[in-house]
Every structure is written in structure tokens, then in C-alpha cells.
């Protein structure tokens, strides 16, 4: 999602993402650098429709890769009630990217 401080574009991107995912009517994983923190309006909008794989109140900081101080990388699952989070992990690596990878093991339940 857009990196600008103003969240207007990110909010529009979240709305479009939600519309597209709902149209597929298929189990979907949505992951990436969303350039927003867990309490932002953008992340809350996504959480209304999709399961955020991160548990609240964790220190799963992903950015920057050296001495991370915020979470901006996510994995979401749709439909939210069909997915169970088995485990999550932030992978400590400062070479591959300026972000730390966020890893989740999920179970899809029919």
C-alpha cells in the first residue's frame, strides 16, 4: 500500500482490495507491506472482513529490519471465520530486505 503519511490512498486501496476479495468468494490470503500500524483506520477496515493473523498486544515489529520499532507487514485471511492461526513469527534478517519477514502457519477449516 501507499507509503505517504496521509492514509487516504491506503484507505482507498484497502476498500478496493476488500471488494476484489469478496467477489472471488474463494479462500484468500492477503499479505504484504501495508505501510500502516495495527491501530490505524486502514488495518481496522481490513480486520472487519479478514482475519488478521497477528495477535493483539504483541511486539511483532517488522520495520526497519535493523532495530524494528513498528509493525507494517501483515498476513490477512478471508473468510475470517474459516482460518485458524497456528503460529506466527517475525524472522530476524537484516540482509534480504529493509523489512523483517512476517511468517504465519494457518489452518483452513471448511
Amino acid at each position: 500500500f501507499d507509503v505517504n503519511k496521509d492514509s487516504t490512498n491506503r484507505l482507498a486501496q484497502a476498500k478496493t482490495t476488500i471488494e476484489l476479495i469478496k467477489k472471488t468468494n474463494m479462500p484468500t490470503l492477503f499479505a504484504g507491506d501495508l505501510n500502516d500500524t495495527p491501530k490505524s483506520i486502514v488495518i481496522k477496515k481490513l480486520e472487519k472482513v479478514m482475519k488478521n493473523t497477528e495477535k493483539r498486544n504483541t511486539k511483532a515489529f517488522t520495520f526497519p529490519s535493523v532495530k524494528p520499532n513498528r509493525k507494517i507487514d501483515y498476513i490477512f485471511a478471508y473468510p475470517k471465520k474459516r482460518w485458524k492461526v497456528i503460529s506466527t513469527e517475525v524472522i530476524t534478517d537484516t540482509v534480504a530486505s529493509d523489512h523483517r519477514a512476517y511468517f504465519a502457519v494457518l489452518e483452513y477449516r471448511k
Side-chain angles (χ1 to χ4, degrees):
F1 282 9
D2 183 32
V3 73
N4 290 330
K5 286 191 183 244
D6 181 349
S7 65
T8 303
N9 286 340
R10 286 190 302 282
L11 191 54
Q13 290 169 316
K15 289 177 182 178
T16 300
T17 299
I18 290 167
E19 289 171 11
L20 292 171
I21 287 173
K22 282 182 169 181
K23 281 182 186 178
T24 68
N25 202 28
M26 300 283 293
T28 305
L29 296 176
F30 175 66
D33 171 5
L34 303 186
N35 285 310
D36 243 319
T37 57
K39 293 181 181 179
S40 72
I41 189 170
V42 172
I43 300 306
K44 288 179 181 180
K45 180 97 175 153
L46 293 168
E47 288 175 333
K48 286 182 180 178
V49 177
M50 295 183 274
K51 182 179 205 69
N52 185 347
T53 61
E54 180 191 9
K55 294 178 182 163
R56 287 285 179 217
N57 302 318
T58 62
K59 297 281 186 187
F61 296 153
T62 60
F63 185 80
S65 61
V66 176
K67 296 184 182 177
N69 58 21
R70 61 191 170 277
K71 176 167 183 67
I72 59 173
D73 301 276
Y74 299 85
I75 301 172
F76 284 92
Y78 176 86
K80 75 192 275 182
K81 293 188 182 210
R82 295 272 176 111
W83 293 91
K84 178 181 178 185
V85 179
I86 306 300
S87 65
T88 62
E89 177 183 359
V90 175
I91 299 171
T92 303
D93 179 22
T94 59
V95 177
S97 173
D98 60 335
H99 295 248
R100 290 189 177 186
Y102 177 65
F103 178 79
V105 176
L106 307 171
E107 176 184 328
Y108 180 73
R109 300 178 285 187
K110 290 188 176 190

